[in-house]
């Protein structure tokens, strides 16, 4: 299928891109890797009149360490995240998450910023970003601002980015000492998006008890959420199998679980618990517990 | 011997000769065709599952820039319904008919009502594809939505919305096979163990890699129409379109099916789109092109399967099968596709004897209409449905009788035979040694060792299971006289012409069609092997009614056995004529000439010989030539098989079920197939591998799902419809036994559908076995998605 007619823009600077966005507003869509937007346009589910391609805007791609943060340019591809030596050494779980997205062709075009800004409820990154405590850097005419991940996902494919702003960078803290992180997902049999995906980061204190747990859940509801009940159930506890099992029971709390062909509310809620348990178990193991 | 016999090519795994062009992107598919003056078509389709058409307003679309024409069904005067090529009516003396087939109209563009989502109501033709698609959105249809029914078991229920005037209660036909009284008696045998299960064979979408496409070009100067179309059988397309729908002279129509990227049955049938484009091209006197989007493919390519069955088996105390009773409802969709009535009847009921000596069988089938895409042949077509019923109910029977599922099967196999085994369901098997394939599979598996491992795994709480499938299928479709008596509107022979050029090069024209099967390799092997010439000297031409005399095409695993035999017959004629020419050159009698290793030689005098190339040159330069013999070296044969061929085999699958999620993982898959003699083992292996993947796909993830309320196809894209992926499959462990068929001279049976038929029940039986410790003895529905299996675990008695 062909998309409806649109004008294509390839700005050479972030300012040009922002100007175009300011000019066309709702009629415009930003194009990153295009792996979500273009299929929607081809099915005519999305019919933007203007497409603003960010590929030629310099400085939006690449990964660098900035203190205790990894700064990942919004246009960095999944493959770059997956294969980056700095990500592998400082934040291996993020490389693992990237490796679970789609297939090699998708990962070579799809971008971190595109995924985070599109906020597909079944995308993999959002759970990890929540568990890892990421920040999103948005740029607008008035400059840059940073949004914490807990304030980012607003609803079904809705985020905190302003309509006149561009997500330019994702900043993710490197794992602190004595911290383990893991992402476990149940893939959709056709699309391989997450039917349910749970990311967990667990920090252990000197006695082997959990001093901090951070859990993100994606797939089951209309947006990725923090599993606060699981976090509370973990904190201060020695996370043996029984404690993990008990904490994981809260994994679907606060998730507006949506029934579809892949699962009833009951089944998907169950999967949240199963994958919370699996992610926690692995995270604790990696934390040295 | 003056010459060393060339290495036999028959039986050799040579690489596919067509692959370099495919893997380097140089295949020529319908959509690659560029013709001056081309126009592009887009179809306006029903968004409703069932709706009356009050009015269609095409004015705005017609005014859209670039639009050449917009037509609706009302414009297509004098055009007939798409034909159904299989008749099931008592007046035609078709055996088993209980209620006549309701032959309902299927107009190329419907103008009274739409009966499924995607039903085409108008065509927009423009100078560009973009303009056509944009303008199609401007066609205004005034719909009156009606209640719809999509679910197989509800389609013929009282109060269901009626689809067709001519089909009261939405019943398309009722049909039976076997002996009802004998079966009833078998079930009353004293002490018999009887088991009845509901078995659902869900609806599938073929998903050929290349979507359907056509280009129709009418030449006003000559009155000739050329149709390039993604077809598995271009001659059948031409015959159906000319004789039944458009009423145009067949000799003025050329149908070309060039490189075609997969079919799995879905490209056998005559579809609305190629008919409408052909009609429009004649009307506009310009070429008209259409290529389906993947979304259109999901909505309009004929779907497969969709049976709901109650199956019952009766077993004697010693495990011998006494009888089988089957009652099936088959969902045919909204219209009768080309061969739709044959699939759930003669391609299904006749295979219910399986590989077992079953003394009494009765099967009754009701075909129903529903507001869904038409259902027709899909890889295996009827035979997978039959094998699935037999292999699932045999399994359930063994469990009820407390017998080992492998032992019970072996106890009931038909003993080894060659020539004829009369089944209880009309067909006569050609040759079989079912125990041999079975024993080989068990040996590869090390069955007893697995059971011990399983026992240990179960103690750890792991859900490990094994499933078997001993399958049979009917290939080499089909003896014309027989299928004619069963309702076929066509003969099912094949033609093969061998043209030997003066230099000894050979072009073969076959009515068979390759859309992935590898004819350019396999058929060339037959020729090179028979004539003793290098394979590089052989070309295979197919898929063009302009160059191939006639043909019935490729489906039902018939290419090698029927198409190949026709070629072999022509090769024999070429050799016979060659002997006459050689005899003249060698001053001997034709009866004294042998043809060996590419040489014609005098018997007992190997020094007196002429090579094939000298004979072929002499045939075209007949200066020194036998008196009264026609020049030239070209022969045509039509082969009509005397019977079907019946390949068989034994498959086994080992799975582990994730107790927490219900996810099924295949740990091992074993297949021992017997397809008779094998021309190219590598190509057959490829067919088996792909077939197993498709069969596993049906068992674990594939399934077309309609929303019960709206009638929308919920699984209308590859993001929703789960095709099997490589990481779902283990490395297959395969082997073959060889039981040649006596039906054709090459002894080949057919291999294209075996994996698809065998794999599905093997995988499902394995999951049942895995869940057996929980008290599960049967699973009704596929695909066995994680959720479905998890729910079964939750509901199990011994969880």
């Amino acid at each position: 299928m062909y998309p409806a007619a649109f004008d294509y823009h390839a700005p050479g600077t972030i300012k040009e891109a922002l100007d175009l966005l300011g000019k066309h507003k709702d009629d415009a869509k930003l194009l990153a890797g295009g792996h979500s937007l273009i299929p929607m346009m081809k099915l005519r589910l999305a019919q933007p009149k203007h497409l603003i391609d960010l590929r030629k805007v310099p400085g939006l791609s690449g990964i660098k360490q900035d203190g205790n943060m990894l700064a990942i340019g919004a246009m960095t591809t999944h493959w770059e995240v997956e294969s980056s030596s700095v990500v592998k050494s400082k934040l291996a779980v993020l490389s693992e998450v990237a490796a679970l997205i789609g297939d090699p062709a998708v990962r070579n075009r799809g971008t971190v910023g595109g995924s985070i800004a599109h906020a597909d409820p079944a995308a993999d990154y959002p759970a990890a970003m929540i568990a890892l405590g990421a920040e999103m850097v948005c740029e607008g005419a008035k400059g840059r601002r940073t949004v914490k991940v807990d304030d980012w996902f607003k609803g079904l494919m809705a985020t905190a980015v302003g309509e006149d702003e561009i997500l330019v960078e994702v900043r993710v803290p490197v794992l602190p000492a004595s911290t383990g992180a893991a992402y476990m997902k149940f893939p959709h049999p056709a699309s391989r998006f997450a039917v349910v995906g749970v990311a967990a980061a667990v920090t252990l204190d000197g006695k082997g008890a959990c001093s901090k747990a951070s859990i993100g859940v994606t797939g089951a509801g209309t947006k990725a959420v923090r599993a606060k009940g699981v976090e509370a159930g973990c904190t201060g506890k020695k996370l043996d199998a029984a404690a993990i099992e008990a904490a994981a029971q809260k994994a679907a709390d606060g998730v507006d679980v949506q029934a579809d062909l892949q699962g009833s509310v009951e089944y998907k809620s169950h999967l949240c618990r199963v994958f919370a348990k699996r992610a926690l178990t692995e995270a604790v193991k990696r934390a040295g517990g | 011997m003056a010459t060393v016999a060339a290495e036999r090519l028959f039986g050799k795994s040579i690489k596919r000769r067509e692959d370099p062009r495919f893997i380097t992107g140089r295949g020529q598919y319908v959509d690659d065709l560029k013709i001056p003056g081309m126009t592009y078509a887009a179809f306006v389709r029903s968004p409703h599952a069932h709706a009356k058409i009050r009015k269609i307003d095409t004015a705005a679309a017609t005014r859209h820039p670039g639009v050449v024409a917009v037509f609706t069904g009302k414009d297509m005067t004098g055009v007939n319904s798409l034909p159904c090529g299989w008749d099931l009516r008592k007046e035609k003396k078709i055996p088993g008919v209980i209620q006549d087939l309701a032959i309902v109209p299927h107009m190329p563009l419907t103008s009274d009502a739409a009966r499924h989502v995607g039903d085409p109501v108008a065509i927009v033709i423009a100078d560009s594809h973009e303009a056509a698609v944009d303008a199609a959105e401007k066609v205004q249809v005034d719909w009156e939505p009606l209640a719809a029914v999509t679910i197989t078991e509800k389609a013929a229920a009282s109060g269901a919305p009626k689809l067709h005037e001519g089909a009261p209660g939405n019943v398309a036909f009722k049909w039976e096979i076997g002996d009802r009284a004998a079966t009833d008696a078998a079930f009353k045998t004293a002490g018999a163990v009887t088991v009845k299960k509901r078995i659902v064979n869900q609806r599938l979408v073929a998903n050929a890699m290349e979507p359907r496409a056509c280009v129709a070009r009418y030449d006003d100067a000559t009155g000739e129409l050329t149709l390039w179309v993604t077809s598995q059988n271009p001659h059948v397309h031409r015959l159906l379109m000319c004789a039944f729908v458009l009423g145009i002279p067949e000799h003025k129509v050329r149908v070309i099916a060039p490189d075609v990227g997969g079919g799995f049955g879905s490209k056998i049938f005559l579809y609305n789109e190629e008919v409408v484009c052909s009609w429009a091209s004649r009307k506009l006197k310009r070429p008209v092109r259409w290529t389906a989007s993947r979304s259109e493919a999901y909505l309009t390519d004929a779907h497969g399967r969709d049976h709901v069955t109650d199956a019952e088996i009766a077993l004697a105390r010693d495990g011998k099968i006494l009888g089988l009773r089957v009652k099936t409802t088959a969902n045919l969709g909204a219209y009768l596709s080309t061969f739709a009535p044959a699939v759930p009847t003669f391609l299904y009921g006749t295979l219910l004897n399986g590989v077992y000596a079953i003394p009494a069988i009765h099967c009754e089938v009701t075909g129903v209409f529903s507001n869904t895409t038409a259902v027709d042949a899909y890889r295996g077509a009827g035979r997978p449905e039959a094998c699935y019923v037999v292999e699932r109910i045999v399994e359930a029977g063994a469990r009820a009788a407390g017998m080992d599922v492998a032992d019970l099967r072996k106890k009931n196999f038909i003993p080894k035979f060659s020539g004829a085994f009369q089944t209880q369901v009309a067909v006569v098997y050609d040759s079989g040694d079912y125990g041999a394939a079975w024993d080989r599979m068990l040996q590869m598996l090390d069955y007893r060792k697995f059971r011990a491992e399983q026992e240990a795994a179960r103690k750890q709480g792991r859900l490990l299971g094994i499933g078997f499938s001993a399958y049979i299928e009917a290939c080499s479709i089909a003896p014309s006289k027989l299928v004619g008596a069963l309702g076929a509107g066509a003969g099912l022979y094949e033609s093969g012409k061998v043209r030997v050029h003066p230099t000894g090069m050979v072009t073969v024209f076959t009515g068979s069609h390759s859309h992935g099967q590898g004819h350019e390799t396999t058929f060339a092997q037959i020729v090179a092997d028979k004539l003793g010439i290098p394979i590089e000297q052989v070309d295979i031409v197919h898929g063009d009614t302009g160059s191939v005399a006639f043909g019935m095409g490729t489906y039902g695993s018939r290419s090698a056995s029927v198409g190949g035999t026709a070629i072999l017959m022509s090769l024999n004629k070429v050799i016979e004529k060659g002997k006459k020419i050689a005899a003249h050159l060698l001053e001997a009698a034709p009866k004294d000439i042998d043809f060996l290793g590419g040489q014609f030689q005098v018997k007992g005098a190997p020094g007196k010989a002429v090579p094939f190339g000298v004979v072929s040159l002499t045939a075209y330069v007949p200066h020194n030539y036998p008196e009264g013999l026609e020049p030239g070296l070209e022969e045509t044969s039509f082969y009509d098989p005397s019977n079907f061929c019946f390949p068989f085999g034994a498959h086994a699958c080992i799975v582990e079920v994730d107790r927490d999620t219900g996810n099924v993982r295949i740990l091992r898959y074993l297949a021992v197939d017997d397809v008779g003699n094998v021309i190219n083992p590598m190509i057959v292996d490829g067919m088996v591998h792909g077939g197993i993947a498709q069969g596993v796909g049906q068992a674990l993830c594939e399934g077309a799902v309609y929303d019960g309320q709206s009638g929308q196809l919920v699984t209308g894209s590859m993001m929703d419809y789960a095709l099997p992926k490589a990481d779902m499959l283990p490395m297959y462990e395969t082997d073959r036994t060889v039981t040649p068929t006596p039906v054709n001279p090459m002894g080949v049976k057919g291999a294209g559908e075996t994996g698809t038929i065998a794999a599905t029940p093997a995988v499902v039986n394995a999951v049942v076995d895995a869940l057996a410790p929980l008290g599960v003895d049967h699973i009704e529905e596929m695909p066995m998605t994680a959720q479905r299996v998890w729910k079964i675990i939750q509901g199990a008695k011994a969880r």
Side-chain angles (χ1 to χ4, degrees), chain A residues 44 190 192 264 267 270 278, chain B residues 134 658 660-661 725 727 787:
Chain A
R44 301 199 168 190
R192 295 287 163 102
S264 60
Y267 180 62
H270 169 74
R278 291 182 181 180
Chain B
D134 286 343
D658 182 334
D660 288 339
T661 63
K725 293 180 164 67
D727 65 358
Q787 172 174 236

Side-chain angles (χ1 to χ4, degrees), chain B residues 294-296 298-299 705 713-721:
Chain B
R294 185 59 64 181
S295 306
E296 284 180 298
Y298 271 98
L299 291 174
V705 177
L713 180 64
V714 181
T715 53
S717 81
M718 286 190 177
M719 293 291 273
D720 304 297
Y721 184 97

Side-chain angles (χ1 to χ4, degrees), chain B residues 236-513:
Chain B
V236 176
H237 258 82
R238 183 179 66 170
L239 176 66
L240 293 174
M241 192 174 78
C242 294
F244 295 95
V245 188
L246 295 181
I248 53 178
E250 194 177 356
H251 68 293
K252 291 286 194 188
V253 176
R254 179 178 175 189
V255 175
I256 301 172
D259 286 332
V260 174
F264 309 117
S266 70
K267 291 171 183 168
I268 296 172
F269 323 115
L270 182 69
Y271 285 95
N272 311 57
E273 291 84 2
E274 53 255 28
V275 166
V276 178
C277 288
S278 296
W279 174 86
S281 179
R282 280 165 60 92
K283 188 106 179 154
L284 300 173
K285 302 179 176 38
R286 285 183 69 178
V288 179
R289 166 167 135 175
W290 171 77
T291 301
S293 67
R294 185 59 64 181
S295 306
E296 284 180 298
Y298 271 98
L299 291 174
T300 65
D301 290 4
H303 291 177
R305 318 281 191 255
D306 206 340
H307 285 195
V308 177
T309 295
D310 283 323
E312 284 175 272
I313 193 167
L315 297 168
R317 283 215 179 96
D318 64 354
K320 282 273 190 189
I321 302 171
L322 299 170
L324 176 67
R325 186 154 47 203
V326 173
K327 206 166 175 186
T328 295
T329 304
N331 191 340
L332 303 184
Y335 300 102
L336 293 174
S337 177
T338 310
F339 292 112
V343 177
T345 55
F346 292 105
L347 290 174
Y348 169 66
T350 55
L351 268 295
L352 287 169
N353 216 128
V355 291
Y356 306 110
I358 306 177
I361 300 172
H362 184 256
C363 167
E364 188 177 321
V365 181
T366 303
V368 297
F369 291 111
S370 69
N371 295 107
T372 59
T373 301
V375 177
D376 207 322
Y378 165 67
R379 199 172 187 180
R383 294 152 291 167
E385 295 91 318
C387 178
Y388 189 69
V389 164
V390 171
E391 286 306 294
R392 297 296 318 287
I393 198 68
V394 163
E395 185 96 4
R399 290 180 185 282
M403 284 188 67
D404 179 87
V405 291
D407 293 346
L408 182 121
R409 283 186 172 86
K410 192 157 181 191
K411 198 179 198 61
N412 284 285
F413 284 152
I414 297 163
K416 181 180 176 179
F417 69 97
S418 180
F421 176 85
Q422 177 64 55
T423 68
Q424 300 296 323
V425 277
V427 297
V428 177
Y429 293 165
D430 57 341
S431 62
D433 188 357
Y434 309 128
W438 183 258
D439 289 344
R440 174 70 186 123
M441 180 274 291
L442 286 186
Q443 182 194 23
M444 288 160 61
L445 173 67
D446 202 343
Y447 181 45
R448 298 298 155 198
K449 185 166 162 240
F450 168 76
R451 286 294 188 196
E453 286 168 9
Q454 181 184 40
E455 200 49 47
R458 282 176 173 169
K459 284 189 181 129
Q460 300 163 11
R462 290 170 61 201
L463 300 173
L464 215 56
I466 187 163
F468 294 110
S469 162
Y471 75 94
I472 192 159
E473 69 154 322
C475 294
S476 188
I477 288 175
S480 296
K481 201 181 276 182
L482 175 63
V483 294
L486 302 180
L492 289 169
Y493 50 82
E494 195 49 271
S495 83
K497 176 192 282 191
V498 173
R499 176 177 294 162
V500 182
H501 302 283
T503 53
M505 307 290 151
V506 176
T507 305
V508 173
F509 301 86
T510 174
S512 190
H513 184 274

Side-chain angles (χ1 to χ4, degrees), chain B residues 32 77 80 153 201 212 233 238 257 299 323 328 340 347 387 484 488 509 525 552 554 579 586 611 642 693 733:
Chain B
D32 292 321
T77 50
N80 299 315
E153 285 160 301
N201 202 305
R212 288 190 296 116
N233 32 233
R238 183 179 66 170
L299 291 174
T328 295
L347 290 174
C387 178
F509 301 86
Q525 280 179 264
M552 296 311 298
T554 285
K579 281 182 181 175
L586 296 166
S642 58
E733 301 162 57

Side-chain angles (χ1 to χ4, degrees), chain B residues 765-784:
Chain B
N765 284 337
V767 177
V768 173
D769 189 53
L771 302 182
L774 309 178
V776 173
D777 68 346
H778 181 65
I779 292 176
E780 286 188 1
E781 295 189 54
M782 297 185 286
M784 292 179 300

